[in-house]
Amino acid sequence: MMEVELPLEKSTEDVDCLTDNNICCRQQQIKMLLSLFGQRSHMTPGALFVYGHTGTGKSLVIQSLLSCNKLPHILVNCVECSSARFLFEHILNNIPTPHETRSPTETNSNDDEDDDYLHCDDMTDFIRQLVKTVSDRSLRDQTLYIVLDKAERFRDGNVNLLPAVLRLQELSGLNVCVILISEVVWEKFRTGTGFYEPYCIHFPDYNKQELMEIMCLDTPSTCEKDLYAMYVNIVLSVFHMVCRDLRELRHIARLNYPYFIEPVERGEIQVANVKKLWRNIEPHLKKALKGVYLREVSSRQWEQMQQAELEDPDSDLAKATPSRTHVELPYYSKFLLIAAYLASYNPMKYDRRFFAKNSGKTSRRSKLIKKNERASNHLLGPKMFPIDRLMAIFYSIVEGNVIPSAHIYVQISSLVSLHLLSQIGGEDKIAAPKYKCMVNLDFIRSIARTVQFDVMRYLYDFL
């Protein structure tokens, strides 16, 4: 694969242009993409694969880079293309003319009613019409970039579609570069042989310093940059260990900022008194920590609750803070969650004592040693457990004889989707999945009360 280096001056200008558009901490990836793009008339790689976790700037960098350099491109969100026909027709009907680009939000609502709307049913017809349209619009001497965002959707569709898209440059004979943007690594896309290997570019997660630099771009106009940087540092000190998603962190910082700035505006706390500012904002951040990733209420409702609590802490709206203790779950899901909590916070060697009949008695000497030497499992946090242990505890605590069925395992997946359980590993077919319970003690006690189960009797820390 041949890489074409751009002149240093042009690359520097492009990087500065993207930096001015609030894109930072991605200079290395931008320079690599510029070297692969080359000049307009240069032959580019047939396919690029850009991957990384959500909120790492993949789509933003690609779209801004193509728009800043005014390169002919088509942006496709694969979520909206439920079939190959929709994908082909979207590309054919959005091919730009020279010096024209498509914005990611630009749509043509009258495409179906337009006489010039191109219809396409299969890959052969798509390539024929693509060659004709590109030639008619005088784009043969330029690289046409087709950006396919959320490319992991290809894994659930036609198995022949992705190999054909990757070889689009070879099949059409055009200077076409297909850019796949995905949150899944390339190895998860391979389903057989004959795949064209794209050039892979990784967008790593932001470190703490980079997160702080990006979040400081949201500094309100009424706040000094140093003061907001101190606030962001406080937010990251609480949330960085449990959340690395930039979007979620910016969301949390924006919603809790009124609590931080309110005593400063009233003159109750000086800006230089970091200790008092921390004590003031700490309880609010801890309350928000319980709802990370859980959209229990909308942002507008959350802001209304914050404003009501600032004005009148005893008002009904201020007391309506969302709580996961009111989540409604199916009957067996409640016992599965209780079993997961017990598996996360009880040592495995004590399972027989808690859940097996005739497990024997514990001597006074063993109790004294345990009391003096043990560390609280609730302070150490939840531990991983295999699914076999979860099901063994579940069948021991649930009332009645429950027959193992697919319905039970589906409810485990539902708990993972609700972020009440966290699945760790088990993506391949050999390794068994492991889980971790993500709820607190108050929540599990409220769940246990609804099924008349005394969960405190089965917790090692409360013996």
Side-chain angles (χ1 to χ4, degrees):
M1 182 180 299
M2 181 180 65
E3 293 188 4
V4 182
E5 294 289 344
L6 290 178
L8 182 60
E9 293 79 13
K10 186 178 188 311
S11 298
T12 305
E13 291 176 359
D14 290 332
V15 174
D16 294 340
C17 174
L18 295 183
T19 304
D20 294 338
N21 291 333
N22 294 336
I23 299 178
C24 52
C25 307
R26 284 293 176 251
Q27 287 75 13
Q28 182 180 355
Q29 285 76 20
I30 293 172
K31 290 180 180 178
M32 183 180 298
L33 287 167
L34 287 172
S35 66
L36 292 171
F37 287 174
Q39 302 294 340
R40 288 177 177 268
S41 58
H42 287 169
M43 203 69 178
T44 61
L48 301 178
F49 185 79
V50 180
Y51 68 101
H53 290 156
T54 179
T56 52
K58 305 180 298 297
S59 302
L60 180 61
V61 168
I62 295 294
Q63 295 174 13
S64 301
L65 189 60
L66 294 173
S67 299
C68 184
N69 290 276
K70 298 181 179 179
L71 299 173
H73 62 278
I74 306 167
L75 301 176
V76 182
N77 190 334
C78 295
V79 177
E80 301 174 356
C81 300
S82 57
S83 67
R85 173 176 170 269
F86 291 146
L87 175 65
F88 297 154
E89 292 183 357
H90 181 86
I91 294 174
L92 291 174
N93 290 281
N94 286 274
I95 296 176
T97 57
H99 309 294
E100 176 191 359
T101 58
R102 300 277 181 178
S103 65
T105 57
E106 181 181 353
T107 58
N108 186 0
S109 59
N110 297 322
D111 277 345
D112 291 331
E113 300 174 3
D114 193 345
D115 294 337
D116 296 332
Y117 185 80
L118 299 177
H119 296 273
C120 180
D121 295 325
D122 53 38
M123 190 69 187
T124 304
D125 190 30
F126 168 68
I127 294 176
R128 180 184 60 79
Q129 294 194 57
L130 178 66
V131 173
K132 183 179 182 302
T133 306
V134 169
S135 301
D136 293 344
R137 301 192 180 184
S138 304
L139 288 175
R140 275 190 171 273
D141 58 340
Q142 300 183 36
T143 304
L144 176 62
Y145 296 91
I146 301 177
V147 182
L148 303 177
D149 203 354
K150 304 293 182 183
E152 56 269 13
R153 292 294 178 128
F154 280 110
R155 302 169 63 205
D156 301 327
N158 189 342
V159 295
N160 298 319
L161 180 59
L162 181 59
V165 169
L166 292 172
R167 294 185 176 274
L168 191 58
Q169 185 182 97
E170 176 185 340
L171 296 173
S172 65
L174 300 172
N175 189 4
V176 178
C177 178
V178 177
I179 303 178
L180 304 176
I181 303 177
S182 175
E183 299 176 8
V184 181
V185 297
W186 170 244
E187 285 71 17
K188 299 291 184 179
F189 282 78
R190 292 195 183 97
T191 57
T193 59
F195 268 76
Y196 175 84
E197 294 292 330
Y199 191 96
C200 297
I201 301 176
H202 180 223
F203 276 60
D205 291 340
Y206 296 109
N207 56 39
K208 188 175 181 180
Q209 184 61 36
E210 291 173 341
L211 287 172
M212 184 171 179
E213 181 180 348
I214 297 172
M215 292 174 68
C216 285
L217 297 174
D218 299 331
T219 305
S221 57
T222 57
C223 180
E224 297 181 0
K225 291 186 177 180
D226 293 339
L227 179 60
Y228 194 79
M230 181 177 65
Y231 167 66
V232 170
N233 189 29
I234 292 175
V235 172
L236 289 178
S237 66
V238 176
F239 288 91
H240 186 253
M241 293 301 296
V242 297
C243 176
R244 305 294 174 88
D245 190 338
L246 176 61
R247 298 171 184 170
E248 188 73 16
L249 290 171
R250 296 174 81 169
H251 176 77
I252 292 169
R254 182 174 59 84
L255 292 183
N256 290 278
Y257 175 72
Y259 282 125
F260 174 79
I261 202 64
E262 188 264 343
V264 177
E265 293 177 343
R266 290 185 179 180
E268 299 174 357
I269 302 178
Q270 298 297 323
V271 175
N273 197 335
V274 181
K275 191 173 183 179
K276 281 191 175 181
L277 287 173
W278 162 253
R279 288 180 177 177
N280 175 70
I281 192 63
E282 181 185 13
H284 304 293
L285 294 181
K286 286 186 175 180
K287 183 167 59 176
L289 186 64
K290 298 179 181 180
V292 175
Y293 295 116
L294 294 177
R295 292 289 182 262
E296 297 164 326
V297 294
S298 66
S299 299
R300 184 181 298 276
Q301 291 173 318
W302 181 273
E303 291 172 352
Q304 291 175 352
M305 291 176 184
Q306 285 184 316
Q307 187 64 28
E309 186 170 348
L310 290 174
E311 296 175 355
D312 184 8
D314 296 327
S315 65
D316 294 336
L317 185 60
K319 294 179 180 179
T321 305
S323 174
R324 283 186 286 170
T325 57
H326 302 292
V327 174
E328 291 294 334
L329 294 173
Y331 181 74
Y332 287 143
S333 292
K334 294 179 180 180
F335 277 101
L336 284 169
L337 191 60
I338 294 171
Y341 190 86
L342 296 175
S344 291
Y345 289 98
N346 283 349
M348 185 182 297
K349 62 181 180 180
Y350 287 92
D351 285 351
R352 182 176 181 83
R353 176 185 172 186
F354 283 122
F355 308 112
K357 298 179 180 179
N358 303 324
S359 58
K361 297 182 179 180
T362 306
S363 64
R364 292 182 61 187
R365 182 172 180 273
S366 299
K367 290 183 178 179
L368 182 63
I369 294 175
K370 177 189 66 176
K371 182 177 181 181
N372 293 334
E373 293 184 355
R374 74 181 181 188
S376 173
N377 290 280
H378 283 74
L379 292 179
L380 297 176
K383 296 180 176 60
M384 295 186 299
F385 55 87
I387 191 173
D388 294 341
R389 186 185 177 203
L390 169 65
M391 299 310 298
I393 297 176
F394 168 75
Y395 290 124
S396 300
I397 65 176
V398 70
E399 297 179 358
N401 295 325
V402 181
I403 301 176
S405 64
H407 179 66
I408 301 296
Y409 291 93
V410 168
Q411 294 190 43
I412 297 177
S413 301
S414 299
L415 293 175
V416 174
S417 301
L418 293 171
H419 300 287
L420 301 177
L421 295 183
S422 175
Q423 181 174 348
I424 304 169
E427 295 182 356
D428 54 12
K429 297 181 180 180
I430 299 178
K434 293 185 177 181
Y435 299 89
K436 184 187 294 186
C437 188
M438 305 303 294
V439 302
N440 56 26
L441 180 60
D442 293 335
F443 178 76
I444 207 66
R445 290 182 67 181
S446 66
I447 291 293
R449 281 195 294 268
T450 62
V451 292
Q452 290 78 45
F453 181 82
D454 187 6
V455 69
M456 305 301 290
R457 287 181 51 199
Y458 295 89
L459 285 172
Y460 175 75
D461 286 341
F462 300 95
L463 290 178

